[in-house]
Amino acid sequence: MPFKPVLLWTDALVWLLAAAVIVFALYVRRHEHLSEPWRRVTHSASGMVGLVALSVFVAVGLLDSLHFRPRLAAQPAGARAAYAVDVLSVMDVLCEPLRKRTEKTYSAPFATGLYAKETVERADGSAVREHPRLKHGGAHLKDPQRDFAQDVARRGLAGAAGGAALWIALAALLGALLARRHGARIGDVWRRIWRGETEVPWHAVLLTLLALLLVAGPALTLGAKYHVLGTDKVGQDVFYQALKSVRTGLVIGTLTTLVMLPFAIALGIMAGYFGGVIDDVIQYVYTTLNSIPGVLLIAAAVLMMQVYIDTHPDLFTTSAERADFRLLALCAILGVTTWTGLCRLLRGETLKLKGLEYIQAAHAFGVRHARVLLRHVLPNVTHIVLISVVMEFSGLVLAEAVLSYVGVGVDPSMISFGTMINNARLEMAREPMVWWSLAAAFVFMFVLVLAANLFADAVRDAFDPRIRVRALTPGRLRRLAAQKA
């Protein structure tokens, strides 16, 4: 084989989570009472905008979760296959021009020369201070001062045209599918879409997709010849670092939730349902955890895990496995230290549910506690769990950036938003100031968190019964009755 598949711990968990989401979606689709709230999520314009942007980040993260070790080319005939030590991903292969085109040191976005001046010796023996040409960025230009603007405009327009053409194809496919589904003409379907008369706000989805393609198209065409976001101290492309950071943020936001949920759900429901000594013990545990500063507790746990990693180097065959183990440990530590908020919410909701008539009737008929918890209590607190999960995601992404900034986050060899910001901290203090690493990390993380928050707000509005009750004002009820009439 030309490569050897590598399954990291986080890869396995990410793909297991993706499979679980698909199975859950198929299960929800078959049950009307479960699909109705999710249908309300799709009716939110802001929620669909966030979902489209979030789907792009998820696609990047999934492509970066398929790892392998390439086979070494120079091998004797008949020898056993040998593979490289470096672990690559499908995203690395797709971004190979960005990954391999390293420069000597810093270069600004779209620059054709290094950021700082150096002493260059000319052919006649004289020395002059100037910005040396980059090895890769703009190397195809014979005269950068003359050809730069025209080349950038031509490539940017070509990328924008490609993105627009792809958008037109996707929009035409969507219109054809909707016309076939509703048995209407395509022209009527398009008028309904752009007037916002469809249940799903397809106009918001299409406009968001158009904006993303108009940004991605020029970025791809220009990134083939230029460093669109500059390079860092060792000459690595900052755009490539930002793309690689997406997977780290997604892993922190999702896997931490998997660790947090069992503690929060089990302990929160038990505390509210049984009360007494069990309630007192659980309250004591999460009150004690909340009294300890979170950053100090996480830092102590991460440092202890790092000592274990350093004293057991034989457990890891590659540096990627070592960094992945620390990432998995960080997810576990964050999950163990962040379950208390959801636990408190579930305890309060369970206390309210325990006094309702159908729970009392189940007790009167002698139903076992385990069955009452699984059949009556847990389904009625699911909306709180879903709302908390989607709203905690953005906070966990930001938490990784803060922890990596203070040096107790992911492994330094792993690219993440936090490590980019940490490296940019020193770059901001130099003269001339290197600003693009911090700006790239900020923009990518801002868009990711904003998309997650928009989708989280839509989920909260769809699942929270209190918001749904407040939304049904007398005026809206009259409008709904008039529409039905």
Side-chain angles (χ1 to χ4, degrees):
M1 291 180 63
F3 60 89
K4 179 181 179 181
V6 175
L7 184 63
L8 302 177
W9 280 102
T10 53
D11 292 343
L13 293 175
V14 164
W15 287 105
L16 181 63
L17 179 61
V21 170
I22 294 174
V23 172
F24 176 73
L26 295 176
Y27 178 79
V28 167
R29 187 178 180 182
R30 297 177 181 177
H31 297 78
E32 180 63 26
H33 69 285
L34 297 177
S35 60
E36 177 60 27
W38 290 106
R39 198 176 294 115
R40 286 195 294 268
V41 174
T42 62
H43 295 171
S44 170
S46 60
M48 293 302 292
V49 169
L51 180 60
V52 171
L54 200 59
S55 299
V56 175
F57 285 102
V58 170
V60 172
L62 291 178
L63 290 175
D64 206 13
S65 297
L66 293 171
H67 288 93
F68 63 94
R69 292 168 59 184
R71 184 174 180 175
L72 297 177
Q75 295 184 31
R80 185 179 180 182
Y83 299 92
V85 178
D86 296 335
V87 177
L88 303 179
S89 67
V90 175
M91 177 58 63
D92 292 327
V93 175
L94 296 177
C95 300
E96 188 168 354
L98 301 178
R99 179 174 61 89
K100 288 189 174 182
R101 294 188 302 116
T102 58
E103 306 293 348
K104 182 179 179 180
T105 183
Y106 299 111
S107 65
F110 293 101
T112 58
L114 293 178
Y115 191 56
K117 290 184 177 181
E118 295 183 358
T119 302
V120 179
E121 186 177 352
R122 292 184 173 178
D124 58 359
S126 61
V128 63
R129 296 280 294 177
E130 63 179 11
H131 299 280
R133 286 289 301 273
L134 298 177
K135 294 189 299 182
H136 304 285
H140 63 291
L141 300 177
K142 294 182 178 181
D143 187 356
Q145 293 183 351
R146 182 191 63 190
D147 303 332
F148 173 76
Q150 182 180 359
D151 186 70
V152 169
R154 179 174 59 83
R155 293 180 181 276
L157 289 176
L166 179 58
W167 179 82
I168 292 174
L170 294 175
L173 178 61
L174 174 64
L177 291 176
L178 291 178
R180 181 178 179 182
R181 179 180 178 182
H182 298 288
R185 294 184 301 175
I186 295 182
D188 297 335
V189 170
W190 276 111
R191 279 192 292 270
R192 292 188 59 196
I193 289 177
W194 294 117
R195 291 175 182 175
E197 297 175 355
T198 56
E199 291 186 355
V200 178
W202 291 114
H203 64 290
V205 173
L206 291 175
L207 290 176
T208 305
L209 189 60
L210 177 62
L212 292 175
L213 290 176
L214 289 180
V215 172
L220 293 177
T221 54
L222 291 171
K225 295 296 182 180
Y226 299 94
H227 301 289
V228 294
L229 295 179
T231 58
D232 63 358
K233 185 176 182 180
V234 296
Q236 194 173 31
D237 193 276
V238 174
F239 185 36
Y240 170 73
Q241 292 181 348
L243 291 175
K244 292 287 289 184
S245 300
V246 171
R247 177 186 182 271
T248 306
L250 292 176
V251 168
I252 290 288
T254 54
L255 297 189
T256 301
T257 303
L258 293 180
V259 178
M260 174 189 69
L261 285 181
F263 291 96
I265 294 176
L267 297 179
I269 292 178
M270 289 172 59
Y273 181 79
F274 293 106
V277 177
I278 296 178
D279 186 21
D280 293 339
V281 171
I282 294 175
Q283 284 193 74
Y284 176 79
V285 171
Y286 69 63
T287 303
T288 304
L289 281 176
N290 285 335
S291 64
I292 304 174
V295 176
L296 294 181
L297 182 61
I298 295 171
V302 169
L303 293 176
M304 291 173 59
M305 182 57 62
Q306 187 61 41
V307 171
Y308 175 80
I309 294 174
D310 293 338
T311 54
H312 297 80
D314 54 319
L315 297 177
F316 315 102
T317 57
T318 61
S319 59
E321 293 181 1
R322 173 191 174 101
D324 184 75
F325 183 78
R326 175 162 173 171
L327 176 61
L328 183 63
L330 179 62
C331 293
I333 292 168
L334 285 172
V336 171
T337 55
T338 57
W339 58 269
T340 56
L342 179 58
C343 179
R344 185 184 293 109
L345 291 175
L346 293 178
R347 173 185 175 273
E349 187 69 15
T350 306
L351 281 173
K352 182 182 72 174
L353 294 174
K354 186 175 66 172
L356 297 181
E357 290 81 0
Y358 64 92
I359 301 291
Q360 300 295 331
H363 290 161
F365 281 104
V367 180
R368 292 179 299 176
H369 294 302
R371 187 172 181 83
V372 172
L373 290 174
L374 293 176
R375 295 296 300 271
H376 300 295
V377 177
L378 183 59
N380 286 284
V381 298
T382 305
H383 67 282
I384 296 179
V385 175
L386 289 173
I387 294 170
S388 299
V389 165
V390 294
M391 298 193 71
E392 282 288 332
F393 174 83
S394 57
L396 292 171
V397 174
L398 296 175
E400 181 276 324
V402 173
L403 294 174
S404 297
Y405 176 76
V406 300
V408 292
V410 299
D411 191 86
S413 64
M414 177 172 286
I415 303 175
S416 70
F417 294 124
T419 54
M420 290 181 66
I421 294 173
N422 188 32
N423 295 332
R425 174 175 55 91
L426 301 176
E427 297 170 354
M428 296 290 288
R430 72 185 302 274
E431 182 63 34
M433 183 178 65
V434 179
W435 52 268
W436 46 86
S437 293
L438 179 63
F442 171 78
V443 170
F444 272 74
M445 188 166 57
F446 171 77
V447 175
L448 175 59
V449 172
L450 178 62
N453 284 340
L454 290 176
F455 182 67
D457 289 343
V459 173
R460 181 198 61 193
D461 295 343
F463 280 87
D464 194 340
R466 293 170 297 181
I467 294 180
R468 295 205 304 270
V469 170
R470 287 198 299 267
L472 293 176
T473 58
R476 185 174 181 184
L477 288 174
R478 286 193 297 270
R479 289 194 298 271
L480 291 175
Q483 289 177 2
K484 290 182 179 180

